[in-house]
Amino acid sequence: MIVLVPLLQTVNYSFYKWDGVSEPTWVGLRNYLEFGRDPRMYAAFGHVLVLILMFGLIPLGLGLISAALLSRAKIRGEGIYRWFLFLPQVLTSVVVAIIWKRIYAPDGPLNSLLRGVGLGHLTRNWLGDFTWALPSLGMIGVWGGFGFTMVLFLAGILAIPDELYEAARLDGSTRWQEFWLITLPSLRGQMAIALTLTITGALRTFDMVYITTQGGPGTATTTPALLLYQLAFVNPDVGRASATGVVLAVLCLGIAVGITRIMENKDR
Amino acid sequence: MISRFERVSNYVIVIALTVGVLFPVAWFVLTSLSPNTSGALDFSNIAWSNFTAAWHDGNLAHSMYASLVITVSAVAGQTVLAILSGYAFGILGVVGERFLFPVILLGMMVSTEVIVIPLYYEFQRIGLTNSWLGLVIIQLGMGVPFGTYWMRATFRALPRSVMDSAAVDGAGVWSTLWRILVPMARPAVLTLVLLSFMWTWNDFFLSLIFLGDPDKQTATVALGAFQGRHVLQVNLMAAGSLIVSLPVVALYLFFQREFISGVMAGAVKE
């Protein structure tokens, strides 16, 4: 009830113009139509594409490579490594944001490091830079998501029967072929999970941006969730905010269903 | 089978990755012990006093208490409700299950952002904003669908014969659940408790929206405000952050396996 009723209400709200206080007026689909003309929306959803790349695809690739390299190895103290690699997943998002805000600060460790190795000309205020703010945020996602994908893929690889690899080796296949022909196809399920989670995560990015940049400089790092928050609670235009929410939900659901479909089709 | 070179390179990879992930956190921990407000590290004077200073300046005592009350009530309520409805859906069967269970699944998949707007304005109307009770209700609403799904799957995986022999022994529906099924499902219940503790404690979005009053704020929101005020006292900021993340990290230290398997299994829910 807590979920279903408000869900329908959001859809309902999205057809009105309402500042949260006075009487709402019916505007039909105008909130959705204005979407196409609002540069802030374009910016926010455009940023999400960059974040999807950095939250989703890069950790996916890195996780695959490292898991494949490590899969056949027995590593002493595996539990300890896993504890550390998975740590970003359990850390409070606010704390993660604060850590990285500090790292990117003009007098923070990243710039000190660059100066230390003689690359002083590369130093900048990373989160205050129009070009670099968004990729810098994306790097936080790479850092946080990578351990997750790697642990997920390692677990997946362990479930692949050893006989498959032995048979391949008897047939004289190289490690590269093993990876493409055995490891990768067997991890399809895990890849679907990782992609769905990281992509919807990217779409819904809020805490990180709210703490570090508030969407700035200018609108260089706004995300749909941040716009929704501002439209719903800061300068109420509740109808527009609801429309954003509906679009966001449809996208999340669509992506989840889409990825599952694609992965299932390949199974046949 | 594995060559010496391969073994060495494996260690190199693992260690490099771990250091990469760990470096920011470790650096932050060291910062929290530094006496310099600029955050410059200084190992000769370790300033434990940063933690007490952050505790007082950040109003952390109050907000940690708020987080604790909200998290514990939400987790307790959620676990009990999830066990009951998981039992109902998984074992007993519910009238209209074919309609109701998809509704539960939908509740699991809908993202918070979509429902938060009407919830806020409705709660404002009935006076549940700026109230811990209000936030607990929402956390329950967001958490119970997953819990139901999780406990249903767990109960279904238990051998049917157990329930049959319980019935033969004359155990009622209620005592079968609490005396037999729940003890058998203890690992799954523990994972559920840990996951929902982590999710509720780490929440920022909902607390930010529903608890605007500084006297009611949770630790995450208070920390967010604290770091805005103390841009120039990096060491205090770091100390405050460590305090706020401590409860979940401590649980993670003891229950690593449950956390990782839980997040993995939770991921499959999508």
Side-chain angles (χ1 to χ4, degrees):
Chain A
M1 279 300 117
I2 295 254
V3 175
L4 202 61
V5 173
L7 181 63
L8 297 175
Q9 252 170 342
T10 304
V11 178
N12 186 26
Y13 279 9
S14 70
F15 297 125
Y16 288 88
K17 183 145 197 77
W18 186 35
D19 61 7
V21 187
S22 54
E23 271 303 291
T25 46
W26 169 264
V27 294
L29 283 173
R30 199 180 305 156
N31 284 322
Y32 291 94
L33 294 176
E34 279 175 3
F35 240 83
R37 270 179 263 133
D38 188 342
R40 285 180 307 170
M41 287 293 167
Y42 272 122
F45 281 93
H47 297 155
V48 160
L49 289 180
V50 176
L51 292 182
I52 285 177
L53 178 75
M54 300 195 72
F55 283 28
L57 300 182
I58 295 182
L60 185 84
L62 281 176
L64 264 181
I65 293 169
S66 52
L69 284 174
L70 296 173
S71 59
R72 303 280 112 189
K74 293 272 173 293
I75 289 177
R76 224 175 293 160
E78 197 191 350
I80 300 171
Y81 297 118
R82 199 165 21 183
W83 195 86
F84 286 126
L85 286 173
F86 206 73
L87 183 65
Q89 290 294 315
V90 304
L91 267 189
T92 313
S93 56
V94 177
V95 172
V96 171
I98 294 177
I99 293 179
W100 283 91
K101 188 179 182 179
R102 188 54 214 156
I103 287 182
Y104 286 135
D107 60 340
L110 179 59
N111 281 343
S112 317
L113 186 75
L114 285 174
R115 263 181 230 114
V117 296
L119 292 170
H121 60 285
L122 289 179
T123 58
R124 63 190 87 235
N125 177 7
W126 293 91
L127 291 172
D129 187 294
F130 277 92
T131 321
W132 285 95
L134 191 63
S136 302
L137 282 180
M139 271 311 292
I140 308 180
V142 173
W143 173 80
F146 159 73
F148 171 71
T149 52
M150 182 172 145
V151 174
L152 188 69
F153 292 147
L154 275 177
I157 289 180
L158 276 185
I160 302 173
D162 272 331
E163 291 85 54
L164 275 180
Y165 287 100
E166 277 160 25
R169 214 155 276 188
L170 283 179
D171 291 344
S173 64
T174 62
R175 291 205 64 163
W176 185 242
Q177 284 171 322
E178 277 174 29
F179 176 73
W180 279 108
L181 297 173
I182 304 176
T183 313
L184 208 56
S186 313
L187 289 178
R188 221 182 278 133
Q190 281 82 5
M191 290 199 291
I193 293 167
L195 275 181
T196 313
L197 278 186
T198 48
I199 291 179
T200 50
L203 269 171
R204 299 170 53 191
T205 310
F206 176 81
D207 304 5
M208 202 81 78
V209 178
Y210 184 86
I211 296 281
T212 51
T213 64
Q214 294 265 348
T219 57
T221 56
T222 48
T223 63
L226 186 75
L227 271 188
L228 178 141
Y229 172 79
Q230 288 168 343
L231 286 171
F233 306 111
V234 183
N235 299 310
D237 182 349
V238 179
R240 183 82 71 87
S242 303
T244 315
V246 172
V247 171
L248 199 57
V250 170
L251 277 177
C252 282
L253 205 65
I255 287 169
V257 171
I259 290 177
T260 321
R261 278 280 153 76
I262 292 172
M263 291 298 173
E264 272 172 7
N265 270 344
K266 275 199 194 151
D267 264 342
R268 273 177 234 127
Chain B
M1 259 223 335
I2 292 174
S3 70
R4 193 186 178 79
F5 167 75
E6 223 176 307
R7 193 171 312 144
V8 172
S9 70
N10 279 331
Y11 277 100
V12 171
I13 295 168
V14 172
I15 291 171
L17 293 174
T18 311
V19 169
V21 169
L22 203 60
F23 175 76
V25 180
W27 175 83
F28 208 59
V29 172
L30 294 177
T31 304
S32 74
L33 295 170
S34 158
N36 299 325
T37 51
S38 69
L41 304 186
D42 180 349
F43 297 105
S44 55
N45 299 302
I46 288 187
W48 294 104
S49 60
N50 288 342
F51 286 91
T52 43
W55 181 264
H56 292 299
D57 289 5
N59 196 16
L60 285 183
H62 199 74
S63 59
M64 291 283 279
Y65 176 69
S67 276
L68 196 66
V69 171
I70 291 168
T71 307
V72 169
S73 2
V75 169
Q78 200 175 313
T79 309
V80 171
L81 287 175
I83 288 176
L84 291 178
S85 58
Y87 185 44
F89 277 110
I91 306 285
L92 300 179
V94 179
V95 184
E97 186 179 342
R98 289 183 58 184
F99 167 71
L100 278 177
F101 195 65
V103 170
I104 301 246
L105 288 180
L106 181 71
M108 222 161 73
M109 284 189 282
V110 158
S111 42
T112 326
E113 293 80 12
V114 198
I115 59 169
V116 76
I117 302 167
L119 272 180
Y120 177 79
Y121 287 103
E122 282 301 308
F123 273 40
Q124 194 180 45
R125 204 166 51 82
I126 54 179
L128 279 177
T129 48
N130 273 325
S131 127
W132 292 352
L133 177 66
L135 189 59
V136 169
I137 292 177
I138 296 171
Q139 294 283 9
L140 281 178
M142 298 301 299
V144 167
F146 171 70
T148 302
Y149 170 81
W150 178 257
M151 290 316 299
R152 172 181 178 264
T154 308
F155 287 144
R156 286 225 161 151
L158 294 176
R160 198 81 209 179
S161 55
V162 179
M163 283 153 254
D164 295 339
S165 55
V168 171
D169 291 345
V173 169
W174 192 249
S175 60
T176 308
L177 173 64
W178 294 107
R179 293 249 181 84
I180 298 166
L181 295 182
V182 171
M184 285 179 80
R186 205 185 297 150
V189 176
L190 175 64
T191 304
L192 179 63
V193 167
L194 291 171
L195 283 184
S196 53
F197 187 95
M198 175 175 84
W199 287 330
T200 319
W201 184 276
N202 286 353
D203 163 70
F204 177 73
F205 189 64
L206 289 173
S207 316
L208 177 73
I209 291 168
F210 284 90
L211 304 176
D213 183 347
D215 288 338
K216 299 275 171 70
Q217 273 170 358
T218 60
T220 48
V221 177
L223 183 65
F226 180 65
Q227 65 93 26
R229 284 198 310 271
H230 288 73
V231 205
L232 296 175
Q233 281 168 295
V234 182
N235 51 352
L236 292 191
M237 212 164 76
S241 306
L242 291 186
I243 296 175
V244 172
S245 39
L246 187 68
V248 175
V249 173
L251 284 176
Y252 176 54
L253 198 58
F254 290 111
F255 300 105
Q256 185 204 170
R257 189 170 315 176
E258 284 80 3
F259 265 100
I260 294 183
S261 66
V263 171
M264 295 299 165
V268 187
K269 74 182 183 172
E270 299 282 334

